[in-house]
Amino acid sequence: HAAQGAEEGRYMGHSGSKLAYTVMDVPPWYLCILLGIQHFLTALGSLIAIPLILSKELCLQHDLLTQSHLISTIFFVSGICTLLQVLFGVRLPIIQGGTFAFLTPTLAMLSLPKWKCPAWTQNATLVNVSSPEFIEVWQTRMRELQGAIIVASCFQIFVGFSGLIGFLMRFIGPLTIAPTITLVALPLFDSAGDEAGQHWGIAFMTISFIVLFSQYLKDVPVPLPSYQGGKKCHLSPVYLFQIFPVLMGLSLSWLLCYVLTVTNVLPADPTAYGHLARTDTRGDVLSQAPWFRLPYPGQWGVPTVSLAGIFGILAGVISSMVESVGDYYACARLAGAPPPPKHAISRGIGVEGIGCLLAGAWGTGNGTTSYSENVGALGITKVGSRMVIIAGACAMLLSGISGKVGAMLASIPTPVIGGMFLVMFGVITAVGISNLQYTDMNSSRNIFIFGFSVFAGLTVPNWANKNTTLLETGIIQLDQVIQVLLTTGMFVGGLLGFILDNTIPGTQEERGLLAWKHSHEGEADISQLISKVYDLPFGIGTKYCTVSWFRYLPTCPKRLPGSKRMDELKTGDASLLLLCPVSPPLYLFGLVTAW
């Protein structure tokens, strides 16, 4: 017991000297609420960016009310997925939300001739957002996207709950991940430029604010009044600039745009440069939006499926899975938990697959993944409690139900959004390149693989977009698959990186696999501590559903204390089989697939 306590101290006790609350601690209720809202606000930038980017390709650039409904839906589904992940998935304090990895294949699919927006939808004077014709135009595109996400998510569910993710990670290293993630953001330069170009002055002002807060003022504390038990009200230093740089940058730019609108400094003529920087161009979307709106599955109609969409989204699914595995290890380290065991990782990936399935059913136009920025927030706040993330998920659910919140965020001036895109996409690109730190970049082999993969990932999609007729085979479905895959830069670059890294001779150290593996390993395997952190809640797998053969399932621990044979189960235990570690996701998956 003394040895076990000492080992636990290396993770929980030692981390506790740095962390105010570790993964299994429960902070006071008011702190849970405040820190939960903070996590929601940290994820806010990515959550609103995805629907705003998609709206143009879905022909919704002039329908702000529907844009607000999309924002509310992604909030709501992200809340559900976060609760599932924290309670039944990897069980670490990690936020789930929309992923940019799905954007590139989605934009490629919607650029097919069949799905390009009609010319009249680009003209605000010709668009009647309540007309059946316009509604059918954007909903058919959304339903096609929903079907592709639902089917592709089944692959992620299978990979997670079958344990295949561990096998796949043997062949996927930094030289595959680096070009894949880099090419998630690089092709979006056109979208970012169009938004920011509506008024470069406002866009650069937004960039300046975000850079000032996140880089120059990140270590400057702001004294705020606080109260702790046993102490009177006093001032405590809070690193506001480090925690909310994007939110504060957007808010200040938005406020300045409002002042420039009221004083008529910005042009009122719709054809003049800079008109879209006005805060009154977004119409009366805030007054039109309902106070209460509950998103529901199939709200845009019954999803449809095409092969082209499925294969494209699969590239995003694979990229998202690999990134999430890295996030799990980073989250465990920052939350004062031991490294996640294989069964917890498999369960986490499987639950993320279920999250993508739910996102497709609800119609967010995107999937779900673990948020790296919220993992970083754990290190800033020094609070790694699961209960804080549960509070953040509840904040997402409440915001998704309130239609006014989505409407307010949909009314942000266009160049302000463009400035935010420039910063966010630049950071995503750098995150992809940072994976090369594990490899030997003095090796000509590695330089060739990365450079060629990235350049081909930009060149091939550019050529494919300009020469669609040369790719026609006469079979419409096959043409669409080829078109989507070849115009998805992350698929082209990631596939080339994967093939070249696994076929060109190179040592494990040179390829970065050794450093990659060591960075994802813990110092010790403490079964009791791992059981405390990663076991399922409500006694599932310990008090109930302790059938001996469960240890052979990829999502269950190899040793189950107090295991029972099936013939030893009580009548009441048998009814709990649906609650066993692997059953809830597969049961839900079976129901949805049958439906």
Side-chain angles (χ1 to χ4, degrees):
H1 286 295
Q4 178 186 330
E7 285 300 315
E8 289 191 16
R10 293 172 64 184
Y11 286 105
M12 311 299 285
H14 178 66
S15 296
S17 63
K18 298 179 181 179
L19 292 173
Y21 299 95
T22 58
V23 62
M24 294 187 295
D25 295 334
V26 180
W29 64 269
Y30 57 87
L31 197 57
C32 284
I33 293 174
L34 290 175
L35 291 172
I37 293 173
Q38 173 184 275
H39 273 285
F40 169 47
L41 295 176
T42 303
L44 192 65
S46 300
L47 288 174
I48 65 173
I50 291 167
L52 293 177
I53 294 173
L54 282 176
S55 61
K56 183 177 179 181
E57 303 303 322
L58 291 171
C59 319
L60 288 172
Q61 63 266 46
H62 300 302
D63 187 357
L64 301 180
L65 187 60
T66 301
Q67 287 183 33
S68 73
H69 293 338
L70 289 178
I71 292 173
S72 297
T73 301
I74 200 170
F75 284 170
F76 187 79
V77 173
S78 296
I80 294 175
C81 296
T82 300
L83 287 176
L84 286 175
Q85 188 66 270
V86 175
L87 293 175
F88 301 106
V90 74
R91 301 225 64 210
L92 287 169
I94 196 163
I95 290 283
Q96 303 288 292
T99 169
F100 286 97
F102 279 37
L103 267 185
T104 308
T106 297
L107 298 180
M109 184 184 86
L110 294 176
S111 68
L112 291 172
K114 178 181 179 182
W115 299 118
K116 284 187 176 178
C117 293
W120 61 270
T121 63
Q122 313 297 316
N123 191 334
T125 59
L126 300 177
V127 172
N128 179 7
V129 295
S130 59
S131 69
E133 183 184 6
F134 175 75
I135 292 173
E136 184 64 18
V137 165
W138 74 263
Q139 285 192 354
T140 52
R141 286 156 178 76
M142 176 59 84
R143 292 195 291 265
E144 185 77 7
L145 189 52
Q146 285 181 254
I149 292 171
I150 288 173
V151 176
S153 67
C154 296
F155 172 75
Q156 186 170 2
I157 293 172
F158 172 75
V159 169
F161 290 115
S162 66
L164 271 179
I165 184 65
F167 174 77
L168 292 176
M169 290 302 292
R170 298 179 188 176
F171 304 99
I172 298 175
L175 286 170
T176 301
I177 295 170
T180 302
I181 297 179
T182 300
L183 289 166
V184 166
L186 280 182
L188 297 174
F189 73 92
D190 197 29
S191 175
D194 286 345
E195 302 284 314
Q198 298 298 329
H199 195 297
W200 280 108
I202 299 295
F204 275 122
M205 179 184 64
T206 306
I207 295 168
S208 300
F209 282 139
I210 295 175
V211 172
L212 175 67
F213 298 147
S214 65
Q215 304 302 322
Y216 292 101
L217 300 179
K218 62 180 179 180
D219 296 324
V220 177
V222 178
L224 293 178
S226 64
Y227 176 81
Q228 294 178 350
K231 293 183 181 180
K232 295 181 179 180
C233 186
H234 61 284
L235 295 178
S236 295
V238 179
Y239 294 90
L240 282 180
F241 300 119
Q242 190 178 38
I243 299 171
F244 304 123
V246 175
L247 182 66
M248 293 175 69
L250 285 179
S251 301
L252 285 175
S253 297
W254 198 354
L255 179 62
L256 187 56
C257 286
Y258 174 75
V259 172
L260 295 177
T261 301
V262 172
T263 55
N264 282 323
V265 173
L266 294 171
D269 182 4
T271 60
Y273 174 78
H275 173 72
L276 291 179
R278 293 178 64 94
T279 54
D280 56 3
T281 58
R282 297 281 179 161
D284 53 353
V285 62
L286 196 59
S287 60
Q288 291 178 0
W291 279 103
F292 176 84
R293 180 184 179 274
L294 183 64
Y296 57 91
Q299 57 186 333
W300 318 128
V302 179
T304 56
V305 180
S306 69
L307 281 177
I310 294 170
F311 280 102
I313 298 295
L314 274 176
V317 166
I318 295 171
S319 172
S320 175
M321 284 193 296
V322 174
E323 186 181 0
S324 291
V325 171
D327 287 337
Y328 294 162
Y329 284 99
C331 184
R333 188 166 58 250
L334 291 172
K342 290 181 180 178
H343 67 85
I345 293 175
S346 296
R347 211 167 55 210
I349 295 298
V351 169
E352 278 195 21
I354 292 176
C356 287
L357 190 148
L358 295 178
W362 256 264
T364 65
N366 201 256
T368 184
T369 190
S370 300
Y371 267 21
S372 304
E373 53 264 45
N374 288 86
V375 174
L378 296 177
I380 296 170
T381 61
K382 306 299 181 186
V383 176
S385 171
R386 277 193 290 246
M387 197 56 64
V388 168
I389 303 300
I390 291 174
C394 294
M396 289 182 181
L397 289 172
L398 291 175
S399 299
I401 293 173
S402 173
K404 296 293 185 184
V405 174
M408 182 181 68
L409 295 172
S411 63
I412 300 174
T414 302
V416 175
I417 296 170
M420 179 187 71
F421 284 174
L422 284 173
V423 175
M424 290 182 63
F425 297 160
V427 171
I428 294 171
T429 303
V431 167
I433 296 173
S434 70
N435 284 279
L436 297 175
Q437 65 183 299
Y438 301 105
T439 67
D440 178 11
M441 288 313 291
N442 290 318
S443 165
S444 59
R445 169 194 183 274
N446 293 348
I447 291 175
F448 164 73
I449 292 174
F450 178 72
F452 176 70
S453 299
V454 171
F455 198 75
L458 294 172
T459 306
V460 173
N462 183 58
W463 178 87
N465 275 320
K466 295 177 179 178
N467 298 276
T468 54
T469 55
L470 297 178
L471 298 173
E472 293 177 356
T473 62
I475 305 172
I476 296 177
Q477 291 80 3
L478 181 60
D479 291 345
Q480 291 178 345
V481 171
I482 293 173
Q483 179 73 13
V484 169
L485 292 182
L486 290 184
T487 54
T488 304
M490 58 179 286
F491 169 78
V492 175
L495 180 64
L496 287 173
F498 174 80
I499 294 173
L500 294 174
D501 188 35
N502 285 281
T503 55
I504 297 178
T507 64
Q508 295 275 311
E509 184 177 4
E510 183 183 14
R511 296 172 60 191
L513 296 179
L514 287 181
W516 178 264
K517 183 179 179 181
H518 291 329
S519 71
H520 288 176
E521 284 182 347
E523 299 176 0
D525 181 15
I526 313 166
S527 59
Q528 291 295 328
L529 182 56
I530 287 177
S531 177
K532 287 181 182 179
V533 175
Y534 297 104
D535 274 359
L536 289 167
F538 317 123
I540 302 172
T542 52
K543 295 180 181 178
Y544 310 109
C545 304
T546 53
V547 185
S548 58
W549 53 266
F550 279 165
R551 65 175 174 268
Y552 299 109
L553 297 174
T555 52
C556 299
K558 296 303 178 187
R559 294 180 182 178
L560 287 169
S563 295
K564 300 178 183 178
R565 295 196 315 271
M566 181 66 81
D567 57 357
E568 294 175 338
L569 281 175
K570 298 177 182 178
T571 306
D573 290 337
S575 65
L576 289 167
L577 283 176
L578 292 178
L579 295 176
C580 292
V582 75
S583 296
L586 290 184
Y587 186 64
L588 175 63
F589 172 61
L591 286 178
V592 174
T593 306
W595 170 78

